[in-house]
Amino acid sequence: MLDTPEAVVEALRENNERAHGRQRTITAEELVEAAQPFEENNVLVTALLELMSAYEFTGEHRKSPVVFARLLKLWDTTPASFSQWEAHQIFWRFKWVTTSLLQVPEVPLATIHGWIDQMRTRYEAADHGPQPVAAMRYHVASHTGIGVADAYDLWATRPRTELSDCQACETRHFAWHQVRAGDDTGALDTWRPVLVDGMGCTEEPQMSQARALLPLLRTGRFDEARSHHLTGYRRVRGNTGMQDEVGLHVEFCALSRNEGRGLEILAENRPLFEATGAPLAHLDFLTSTEVLLARLVADGHDRTAAAGPPGRNWTTGELLTHVRTEADRLTKAFDERNGTTAVGERRQLRLAQRPLLEEPLPLGLRTSLSRPSVALGAASVAVPETPEDFVSLVHEARRVAATGHPGAHRLWTRVAERLADDGAPHDDRLGPQDLLHAELAEHRAYVLSREDREAESVTELNRATELFEGIGMPWHALSTRARGLTWTSVSDSPPEGEASREGTDAGGTTARLDEDALWAGLAEVLREAERLKTEAPLDGGPLGAGEAASEEDAAVARVLEYLTVLFSCAFAAYGAVTRQLPEPSDMAVARFEEFAAMLRTEAERLTVPHHSANARQFTADIAGRRGDVERAVAELRAALKDVEASDRPWRGSRPRALLAQMLMASNEQAEAVELLHQAIADAVRHDDRDFALAPTYALLGHAASHLGDTSGAVRHLSEAAARFDQDGCHDEAASTRLQLADVLACAAQQADAVAVLESILTGEEASSLDERLAAQTRLTLARGLRELEEFLPAAEEFVRLADAIAAWEDEPGLQTMVAAETAVTLAMADRWDAAGTAYERAVASNAEAPRPSLVTRMMCEFARLVMLARGADGLDTALDHLTRADAVRAAVPDGTEGFAPWYETGAVHYRRARVLAQADAFPKALAEAEAAIAAYDQGGEHGEVERAEATRIAALVEGNGLGRFKEAIARLAAAAERARTAGLAEAAQILDTLRQDYEKR
């Protein structure tokens, strides 16, 4: 019941603790009504101020001035109803009213100027300086475009007063003035105290972060732009009082080529389409949204689903029309009110913007809209052209395929499309019709293999074999036959018509017969190759019906097909070894070594160095997997020399990437980075779509991280995650983002890390993630939120995690850990009842699945948090927690793995010492501190850090609590010397500083 002033005041206090939003605003309105009947106006004043704040911070600028008018009347009639703070708010909130009136186009400029005049009069009467008044005149001038320079000078040259905007907000206004003047660099310099040095308030840094995004992009400071987007958006997400800032994040996404992310922001902020209480801010939001939607429509995404005003489904094209109409209406209203075209001109400048980057800025976030493939802008693409004439197209495809260039696959795809579209009769200039059919069957086999449809791929190879045999091309037939056999050995199921060649055991797995059949088949292929070398020599002989036009070309073709046969044998042997790792049989290893040596020797004899490189790459991979990194590195360096000699640079990407991986294992990160960059550049330049770019970018990110290049690591891991998304590898993308979050957290960018982690757990793909990966992500997110002191959201994530792992039986200790961390986090969030429940759950879980270190740590944390919340009144409760910690510790059997009794004993004594000191029980506190020191002594060199800290506490108790400074000084001197001996320079300095302080006393 709100029938007494005390009840209303208590309700106001509770409402003030709520986050700004609809519920807080509605309650504030109700409390104003409840406060009106009371005889004294002091409660009404408080309620009106609370309501005005609610309107201000939820963007209800139409209503805010009405509330202030009531407050001003009460101030004029019963000033005694205002506390000192409330009296100050009357003058402070004059500024709110000015900016609120400016937001509403129906309010005439004369009214706004009149309000500023009244503000000036009241400030002068109360002996307040004029700078805040000058600031309001500048805001009006900046909005209307009239007298901006003079108004700015008048404001900027006046000294600050106690009623000036806080320095963070004023910094934002100064910087934004520079941005509008076209001075991005100067603006970012002005913004430094807010964006870099940590100056802030309730509205900062998030408002400045949003406004700085495009200046950062325009000046090439991409890493900072990414970071401010990740952290700044989280602070404004869903806030109707910051819809223009939300809009700026949408605009940033459009201009950094992250349109999918922009659509997701719209979906997360759908209520903003109906937030019309601040029309000027709403116009800014709509304009930013129009920038995004126009980009999407221009790129052909006009039918893509988009989140618009609630109540119906929208496409981007439909939403663009709606947004443009509403924004044009508001623009016209403001310009008519102002008598200028400033608002419309600013809007047109924003709409005329084009993306500021050639490629999407990697954000590290999962997004639902596929982005364009990312290429290296600096690399000139060296791919064959696609002729329009069909005969020329086929000839070009054959020529490029003979060189092994990856662009051949694109040409064969075009040939297949042309045949399907045209259906024209065969042209005799292309040789036998079955030759083209065989070549296209080979191409289909390649495509199916890329899609992991190995069985169907083998069927196409077998078809190609028959066709080549039919037109008298035995080497080509033998090559495709060898490939078919090899690919059959790695397929999940036999191709149609080939089931008789496979044998399976009772469990459905490939039986020994498969290996026997494979090697019998390949042995037959090799015998046939030897026969062909006699009948159709590699160095010349009669041409088959569809072979090359010259004897020289025919010889080259035969050599390549022969070496492809040997390659298939080596690949089959390589696959047999890798399937048996980590302990392959001697037979499998010997067979592999034999075929790899055969391929390399024949390639060298026939002067085909790229096949020699293939053999060396197989050997290096096996050696690396078996731990012989030195041999692997040597083989890969030799392989790269072979590639260089082959004049086929596109073949260097894989051995370079593998060599980089080996070098990273040897901690040679710098060379690995160079190799990976070159591998990526070559793959992109030559359009090698088989090269695994996503894992290569991930490797590059790891290497950069090890080198301390955080910016590079973030860029490369973000790129890797985006490419995994494009490839539909969502678990790999999530795993990469987990690594990205770790890099960000280690670089003290925890808010960035949290934004990345949140994106993993949102969207449709989140539900299909591997449950272990999802759990690890949620655990990392919960800990990150806790570090950001977002305790309640952190606790909610811990609770979700506890539900997710409740049924896991293979890691029982995990439930204990999660329950303990949940309990602590709930206590930090001041949810003590729920924290107590989780606490007891952790204790019960520990009895079933012991994790005693985690449980004792939880109990010590509860002791700390109880004292923090209740002071000396919480002493008994805190000591009870520590008694329980002692009991848990004592119950652990000797020799328990992962449990160090000296450490756990010392930790409990240390916490008890601090708890007792907080309650002024200094003699007992000193005894506990000394007990902690003694326990840490038992840890030897492993306990030196903790011992130094316990000694510091003992000295503080001894000196500050008991006044025994001489003893404390002696204790500190001895401890500092011990710390220096142990190599703990920082600990020694801390102890020396305290000692010197005591000596001065």
Side-chain angles (χ1 to χ4, degrees):
M1 295 293 291
L2 300 174
D3 52 0
T4 66
E6 292 76 15
V8 174
V9 169
E10 180 59 30
L12 284 167
R13 185 177 294 110
E14 291 178 3
N15 198 42
N16 189 57
E17 294 177 357
R18 291 191 176 98
H20 282 291
R22 182 173 177 78
Q23 183 56 53
R24 178 168 174 172
T25 301
I26 291 173
T27 302
E29 291 172 336
E30 293 171 349
L31 292 175
V32 167
E33 293 182 12
Q36 287 181 146
F38 302 139
E39 184 176 349
E40 299 293 332
N41 288 326
N42 55 336
V43 177
L44 178 59
V45 167
T46 304
L48 287 169
L49 285 167
E50 164 62 21
L51 179 58
M52 189 178 181
S53 293
Y55 285 152
E56 178 73 17
F57 290 105
T58 55
E60 293 287 352
H61 291 284
R62 293 180 184 275
K63 299 177 180 180
S64 183
V66 178
V67 178
F68 189 74
R70 292 182 64 183
L71 280 165
L72 201 57
K73 184 175 181 180
L74 288 170
W75 172 251
D76 289 336
T77 56
T78 58
S81 301
F82 291 73
S83 68
Q84 183 177 356
W85 179 84
E86 290 168 341
H88 177 79
Q89 288 298 301
I90 286 293
F91 290 97
W92 183 268
R93 297 190 186 194
F94 262 101
K95 299 180 295 181
W96 291 11
V97 175
T98 301
T99 53
S100 290
L101 294 174
L102 204 59
Q103 283 273 344
V104 183
E106 294 85 356
V107 177
L109 277 183
T111 300
I112 300 173
H113 285 300
W115 184 261
I116 297 174
D117 290 339
Q118 183 183 169
M119 177 182 174
R120 176 181 56 79
T121 300
R122 287 182 179 267
Y123 271 43
E124 289 176 351
D127 201 25
H128 290 302
Q131 197 257 16
V133 178
M136 294 305 103
R137 296 199 190 281
Y138 166 75
H139 291 321
V140 174
S142 179
H143 171 65
T144 61
I146 301 174
V148 178
D150 290 342
Y152 178 80
D153 288 342
L154 189 65
W155 165 44
T157 56
R158 294 292 182 273
R160 287 176 49 79
T161 76
E162 64 174 346
L163 290 172
S164 296
D165 284 345
C166 80
Q167 284 196 305
C169 287
E170 196 163 84
T171 296
R172 176 182 76 248
H173 294 313
F174 285 141
W176 194 236
H177 176 81
Q178 290 173 285
V179 170
R180 284 190 166 181
D183 183 8
D184 287 338
T185 301
L188 293 171
D189 288 342
T190 300
W191 253 318
R192 183 177 178 83
V194 175
L195 297 179
V196 178
D197 298 337
M199 180 189 291
C201 65
T202 57
E203 296 179 329
E204 290 293 347
Q206 56 266 36
M207 294 183 77
S208 289
Q209 286 176 311
R211 284 163 173 72
L213 291 172
L214 295 185
L216 286 166
L217 279 187
R218 288 193 291 259
T219 54
R221 293 163 64 170
F222 303 138
D223 293 336
E224 292 169 78
R226 176 198 302 109
S227 179
H228 287 308
H229 170 64
L230 294 179
T231 59
Y233 173 67
R234 290 189 71 249
R235 292 186 173 107
V236 302
R237 179 176 55 198
N239 188 339
T240 55
M242 289 193 171
Q243 58 177 314
D244 42 355
E245 282 75 25
V246 173
L248 287 168
H249 283 278
V250 171
E251 193 169 332
F252 162 80
C253 290
L255 300 179
S256 66
R257 295 190 182 272
N258 283 284
E259 293 89 347
R261 167 70 168 166
L263 286 179
E264 289 176 354
I265 292 176
L266 292 184
E268 291 177 338
N269 295 273
R270 202 168 186 180
L272 297 189
F273 286 100
E274 297 181 318
T276 58
L280 185 57
H282 192 57
L283 172 59
D284 284 337
F285 169 72
L286 293 175
T287 300
S288 294
T289 301
E290 186 175 345
V291 172
L292 170 69
L293 297 173
R295 291 298 320 148
L296 286 164
V297 170
D299 288 342
H301 295 290
D302 56 307
R303 303 300 300 169
T304 299
R312 57 161 288 188
N313 295 325
W314 298 84
T315 65
T316 53
E318 294 165 343
L319 185 57
L320 175 61
T321 300
H322 171 82
V323 164
R324 182 172 287 157
T325 300
E326 180 63 13
D328 285 345
R329 182 188 67 79
L330 285 171
T331 301
K332 181 180 179 182
F334 277 111
D335 281 345
E336 287 180 352
R337 189 270 302 272
N338 300 336
T340 68
T341 58
V343 173
E345 289 172 0
R346 282 195 294 270
R347 171 169 151 74
Q348 290 308 313
L349 284 174
R350 290 172 69 182
L351 295 177
Q353 296 175 105
R354 292 295 177 265
L356 297 168
L357 302 174
E358 291 297 322
E359 305 154 5
L361 176 68
L363 300 177
L365 303 174
R366 185 206 56 77
T367 181
S368 58
L369 184 71
S370 62
R371 64 178 197 163
S373 60
V374 180
L376 297 180
S380 58
V381 180
V383 296
E385 294 184 1
T386 307
E388 284 298 318
D389 175 69
F390 183 72
V391 172
S392 300
L393 174 63
V394 173
H395 283 312
E396 179 67 1
R398 288 172 176 168
R399 184 193 69 79
V400 174
T403 69
H405 193 290
H409 300 301
R410 179 172 50 80
L411 293 171
W412 283 120
T413 298
R414 185 58 185 148
V415 170
E417 291 171 347
R418 288 286 300 274
L419 276 178
D421 292 342
D422 299 345
H426 181 71
D427 194 308
D428 290 338
R429 288 177 294 173
L430 297 177
Q433 189 170 4
D434 280 352
L435 171 60
L436 184 56
H437 289 162
E439 291 165 326
L440 288 172
E442 284 187 291
H443 172 64
R444 285 193 297 273
Y446 156 77
V447 172
L448 290 165
S449 177
R450 286 184 64 191
E451 297 172 356
D452 294 327
R453 295 160 64 182
E454 300 292 354
E456 296 168 77
S457 177
V458 170
T459 298
E460 291 295 333
L461 285 173
N462 292 339
R463 182 173 294 120
T465 299
E466 293 174 2
L467 290 167
F468 280 129
E469 287 175 344
I471 58 175
M473 297 180 68
W475 277 113
H476 289 74
L478 192 62
S479 169
T480 53
R481 179 182 166 193
R483 279 178 279 159
L485 280 169
T486 302
W487 291 9
T488 299
S489 72
V490 298
S491 63
D492 293 329
S493 58
E496 290 183 32
E498 294 291 321
S500 60
R501 293 176 50 180
E502 299 262 334
T504 57
D505 60 22
T509 58
T510 302
R512 177 68 181 169
L513 178 61
D514 293 332
E515 289 285 315
D516 291 342
L518 168 66
W519 296 115
L522 289 175
E524 184 181 340
V525 166
L526 288 173
R527 286 193 295 272
E528 179 67 11
E530 290 302 313
R531 186 184 67 78
L532 285 176
K533 282 162 60 177
T534 302
E535 295 183 3
L538 297 177
D539 57 355
L543 302 180
E547 289 197 56
S550 71
E551 185 62 31
E552 182 180 355
D553 289 343
V556 170
R558 290 164 183 158
V559 165
L560 291 176
E561 298 303 332
Y562 167 61
L563 290 174
T564 299
V565 168
L566 299 185
F567 174 89
S568 297
C569 294
F571 180 71
Y574 162 83
V577 173
T578 56
R579 286 192 294 274
Q580 294 180 23
L581 287 172
E583 296 295 335
S585 67
D586 291 342
M587 179 185 295
V589 173
R591 182 185 288 125
F592 167 71
E593 295 285 359
E594 176 189 355
F595 280 120
M598 183 187 301
L599 173 61
R600 186 176 67 251
T601 301
E602 286 294 271
E604 290 172 351
R605 181 179 70 82
L606 296 166
T607 321
V608 185
H610 72 267
H611 268 301
S612 176
N614 288 335
R616 293 185 184 279
Q617 189 174 334
F618 283 143
T619 302
D621 191 35
I622 294 296
R625 291 174 186 238
R626 300 186 71 190
D628 190 353
V629 175
E630 184 177 351
R631 183 184 182 191
V633 169
E635 290 287 352
L636 288 167
R637 293 195 190 282
L640 287 171
K641 289 182 179 179
D642 287 337
V643 169
E644 186 177 350
S646 75
D647 198 26
R648 298 186 178 198
W650 52 86
R651 291 189 173 272
S653 293
R654 288 163 184 76
R656 281 194 181 90
L658 187 55
L659 176 57
Q661 193 171 355
M662 300 299 172
L663 292 172
M664 288 173 64
S666 303
N667 203 30
E668 297 180 52
Q669 314 293 343
E671 185 181 356
V673 166
E674 293 180 12
L675 287 164
L676 291 168
H677 275 301
Q678 188 173 352
I680 291 170
D682 284 347
V684 172
R685 182 170 185 263
H686 297 290
D687 194 28
D688 187 352
R689 301 182 186 185
D690 283 346
F691 182 69
L693 282 171
T696 306
Y697 273 110
L699 275 176
L700 192 52
H702 297 322
S705 176
H706 284 296
L707 288 172
D709 178 10
T710 300
S711 296
V714 170
R715 284 196 303 275
H716 303 317
L717 289 172
S718 298
E719 183 65 34
R723 287 184 176 276
F724 278 128
D725 281 336
Q726 284 179 278
D727 296 340
C729 303
H730 301 302
D731 281 351
E732 289 84 351
S735 180
T736 303
R737 290 192 171 97
L738 257 179
Q739 296 160 24
L740 170 60
D742 183 59
V743 169
L744 290 166
C746 290
Q749 295 175 251
Q750 187 62 259
D752 299 45
V754 163
V756 170
L757 293 166
E758 286 177 335
S759 81
I760 298 174
L761 297 172
T762 57
E764 295 179 4
E765 291 84 359
S767 60
S768 61
L769 281 181
D770 174 80
E771 63 175 3
R772 305 282 167 156
L773 180 60
Q776 181 61 56
T777 302
R778 203 171 294 283
L779 175 62
T780 309
L781 173 59
R783 289 171 172 169
L785 288 166
R786 186 172 61 198
E787 187 168 326
L788 292 176
E789 299 186 1
E790 297 182 31
F791 299 126
L792 189 56
E796 291 169 351
E797 291 297 336
F798 274 121
V799 170
R800 293 188 186 101
L801 177 60
D803 291 342
I805 67 171
W808 291 8
E809 297 180 357
D810 57 334
E811 294 187 64
L814 192 59
Q815 282 92 337
T816 306
M817 179 198 75
V818 173
E821 293 208 43
T822 303
V824 170
T825 310
L826 283 164
M828 289 175 168
D830 202 29
R831 299 295 195 270
W832 286 97
D833 289 343
T837 301
Y839 182 105
E840 296 302 335
R841 187 184 306 121
V843 172
S845 180
N846 184 63
E848 298 293 327
R851 295 291 293 272
S853 295
L854 294 174
V855 174
T856 56
R857 194 177 309 152
M858 173 192 74
M859 292 168 171
C860 288
E861 269 296 282
F862 263 69
R864 181 185 72 84
L865 293 168
V866 165
M867 295 300 292
L868 188 65
R870 297 168 55 190
D873 291 342
L875 177 61
D876 290 342
T877 303
L879 292 176
D880 284 345
H881 286 302
L882 295 171
T883 299
R884 296 185 72 175
D886 278 329
V888 170
R889 175 181 54 79
V892 179
D894 292 340
T896 298
E897 184 178 357
F899 187 86
W902 63 266
Y903 177 85
E904 304 299 339
T905 301
V908 177
H909 282 304
Y910 171 82
R911 180 52 55 194
R912 189 177 282 114
R914 298 204 63 164
V915 163
L916 289 165
Q918 284 178 267
D920 295 341
F922 299 119
K924 292 181 179 179
L926 181 58
E928 289 294 326
E930 289 177 333
I933 294 169
Y936 290 137
D937 261 335
Q938 296 175 25
E941 63 180 13
H942 302 294
E944 289 296 338
V945 173
E946 291 80 7
R947 187 188 187 282
E949 168 59 12
T951 303
R952 184 183 72 87
I953 294 301
L956 285 170
V957 171
E958 206 165 25
N960 294 348
L962 299 173
R964 290 156 45 181
F965 290 103
K966 287 185 178 180
E967 292 86 341
I969 289 169
R971 184 192 297 274
L972 289 165
E977 183 59 32
R978 178 167 174 160
R980 273 188 288 273
T981 301
L984 304 175
E986 185 177 355
Q989 182 180 0
I990 292 170
L991 294 167
D992 279 334
T993 300
L994 181 57
R995 174 182 56 79
Q996 291 161 8
D997 179 53
Y998 280 173
E999 286 173 343
K1000 290 177 183 177
R1001 297 193 197 183

